[in-house]
Every structure is written in C-alpha cells, then in structure tokens.
Amino acid sequence: MMGITGLGHTGFWVEDLAKMRDFYERVMGLTVTDEDEELGIVFYSARPEDEHHEFVLQRGRTAPPGVKLTHQVSWRVDSLETIIDFHRRFRAEGIEVQQEVTHGNAIGIYFFDPEGNRNEVYLRIERDVRQPFRKTIDLDQDPQQILAQAERLLADGGPAYQPVQ
C-alpha cells in the first residue's frame, strides 16, 4: 500500500474567471504558472520554483451561488506578520471575513473569495492541540499581544484542549 504524502492541488469551477483571477493573483499573491484562454483555465502556485501548481480555476461553474461545494481551501503562510498583512489587506479590499481565529495549533483568518468559496490563511503553531478548537482572536494587536491572547484562549478551553501527555 502506498501512503499519501500531501495534497497536490485543488481547484474551483468559476463563473467570472477575470474577477476570480484578479482576486487570487492580486489579493492572495499567487503566481500564474500556466493558462489556456480557450479552455478558460488558470493554474497557480504559491511556490512556483518547487510546485507547478497547487490551485486551479476553470470557467464553467454550474451550481447556483450559495450551494455548498467545497468546505474550504487553507493557505499556509510563513509568519504572524503575514497573517496581520492579510488582515489589513482583506479590510482594505472589502473582503468578507468569516472569523479570525486561534486553533491553538494555528492562527488564521477564514474569508470568502468573490464567488463565496471559503478560504483560510493560517500560520501553523508547533503544538499539539485537540481539534476542533476555534476561538475568535483580535488581529488589530501587535504580534506579541496576539500570541499572548492565543495562549489565554487556549487555557480558557479547559483540559480537553491541552496536549495529550
């Protein structure tokens, strides 16, 4: 039996490819690595030097708005400063944010793209915390205050959310 080593890529069927392309390039900062205008498909990578694509958009969505198709796409980031930058960018762009959270093992932002697909940007925190653990956090603080708040919220979760010894 072969083991899965990770998620290779995911994608969305979209209605307005130009609007969605602008969002994922300009707002999210992904790099277009390939595209076929005739087929209406665009390939993106966060690490084009390592991975041809992790994300795909293709024209042709047939489900009406509001239909739940994908639970979420989560984008791992490199630092708490990057999370704070996305917090400010989403506010400036008028992006609908569902929640800014600590999961105990991550700090993230749940948000919706222009066609209502839920995404998350998150920073992995190296600790073992039972999931689901999701508490709102204030990203209008400096990084040290955010980390301190995350610690307090984890403690408020009670013993069920502490690492297994």
Side-chain angles (χ1 to χ4, degrees), residues 121-164:
V121 287
Y122 74 99
L123 174 68
R124 176 83 171 94
I125 308 278
E126 295 304 322
R127 71 180 326 152
D128 180 23
V129 176
R130 183 176 166 265
Q131 299 297 313
F133 181 86
R134 182 169 156 173
K135 293 197 174 207
T136 298
I137 196 161
D138 178 5
L139 296 177
D140 280 318
Q141 306 176 81
D142 69 49
Q144 290 308 100
Q145 291 172 315
I146 292 168
L147 293 173
Q149 183 184 15
E151 284 298 315
R152 285 191 307 276
L153 289 168
L154 182 60
D156 290 347
Y161 290 97
Q162 302 306 311
V164 177

Side-chain angles (χ1 to χ4, degrees), residues 14-104:
V14 303
E15 291 179 4
D16 187 336
L17 185 58
K19 181 185 233 178
M20 295 289 278
R21 179 181 174 139
D22 174 67
F23 177 80
Y24 283 99
E25 283 179 60
R26 187 177 55 78
V27 177
M28 296 302 298
L30 298 177
T31 300
V32 172
T33 56
D34 259 327
E35 64 183 306
D36 184 317
E37 289 184 27
E38 187 175 321
L39 292 176
I41 189 168
V42 181
F43 297 86
Y44 295 90
S45 183
R47 305 172 297 126
E49 61 285 347
D50 298 320
E51 191 72 50
H52 181 269
H53 65 279
E54 297 112 327
F55 189 62
V56 178
L57 294 177
Q58 185 166 12
R59 196 171 40 240
R61 180 178 172 139
T62 57
V67 170
K68 291 183 177 181
L69 298 173
T70 302
H71 182 265
Q72 72 192 49
V73 174
S74 295
W75 306 95
R76 192 171 184 168
V77 303
D78 59 356
S79 68
L80 185 53
E81 288 73 21
T82 299
I83 291 287
I84 294 167
D85 287 345
F86 273 112
H87 164 75
R88 292 176 181 144
R89 182 180 305 171
F90 292 161
R91 182 176 288 160
E93 293 281 340
I95 302 302
E96 181 186 353
V97 170
Q98 181 184 36
Q99 190 179 16
E100 297 177 328
V101 304
T102 175
H103 289 297

